[in-house]
Amino acid sequence: QGILSIYVLVLLLTMLFIAYLKVFEKNFLEPRFMSLAGMLVALTSIFAVVLPTGSSPYILPIPGVIMISAIFLSPRISFLISTLLLIVLTVGMQYESQFIIVFIALSLIGMITISKIRYTRRFDLIKVGFNLGIAGVLIMLSLYFIDKCLIDVSNTLILRNCIYIFANGLLSSIIVLGASPLLESAFHIITPYGLAELGDHNQPLLKRLQMEAPGTYHHSLMVSTLCEAAA
């Protein structure tokens, strides 16, 4: 009965996700985008299941899911995916309510911060992970301080989970930074990072154009500048 209930919950949330895409984000109903979203959810769920009993749920790569889905899909879809995934994990794995509170707040923060980063500078993604780690620590401390007013909470537990959530945010950003080119190639999705690399003047094709047809090269740069300003 419990397993059946979880399947029903997953089915309902999946239908909700698809309905949202059909109404608001039709461009992302393509198989490549849906496959990426499904892979992120499946890998995170498997990771949660194989964790040893008693392990802290704050080592789950939720920040990585937030960042990858925000970059490859959109920040709004990233928030929806992470929220629905957190609901399933909290119910299915019987996590405490503060788990879903912390990571939903981080999803909202990640959605806002990633939408404002400069994709020409990859190091900005590391800053996003650092900021998510700091925000996670602050949110967690505020929740634990509320709990300590009601029940006795171990300081060791608080310190351990704060370290986990901070390291999770930072390491997730590093992993996402390294995995982005592989995911772009595997799912054939051009991200803003890929576009920034294509616009690099040190690209072999652009260097050849500069040497063999300098007039065309400089004219193309001027037109591209006008098109960027117009867009």
Side-chain angles (χ1 to χ4, degrees), residues 64-135:
V65 174
I66 297 169
M67 287 184 274
I68 290 177
S69 53
I71 294 171
F72 282 79
L73 301 173
S74 77
R76 288 190 295 267
I77 295 178
S78 171
F79 179 72
L80 179 62
I81 289 175
S82 56
T83 301
L84 298 181
L85 175 59
L86 288 168
I87 292 173
V88 173
L89 290 178
T90 304
V91 173
M93 305 301 296
Q94 295 294 301
Y95 291 142
E96 297 179 354
S97 58
Q98 70 177 22
F99 167 79
I100 191 172
I101 294 172
V102 170
F103 278 118
I104 283 182
L106 284 186
S107 300
L108 184 58
I109 295 171
M111 178 183 72
I112 296 171
T113 53
I114 291 179
S115 63
K116 295 182 178 295
I117 64 174
R118 296 170 57 186
Y119 288 99
T120 53
R121 299 175 55 187
R122 286 186 177 267
F123 187 74
D124 283 0
L125 189 60
I126 306 297
K127 292 182 179 178
V128 171
F130 180 82
N131 292 335
L132 287 179
I134 293 294

Side-chain angles (χ1 to χ4, degrees), residues 177-199:
L177 189 58
S180 292
L182 299 177
L183 294 175
E184 282 187 81
S185 176
F187 292 95
H188 304 288
I189 299 174
I190 299 297
T191 66
Y193 284 118
L195 292 175
E197 290 178 352
L198 291 174

Side-chain angles (χ1 to χ4, degrees), residues 160-180:
R160 185 189 66 178
N161 285 338
C162 286
I163 293 174
Y164 283 153
I165 193 71
F166 177 76
N168 193 355
L170 194 57
L171 290 176
S172 293
S173 64
I174 296 173
I175 294 173
V176 169
L177 189 58
S180 292

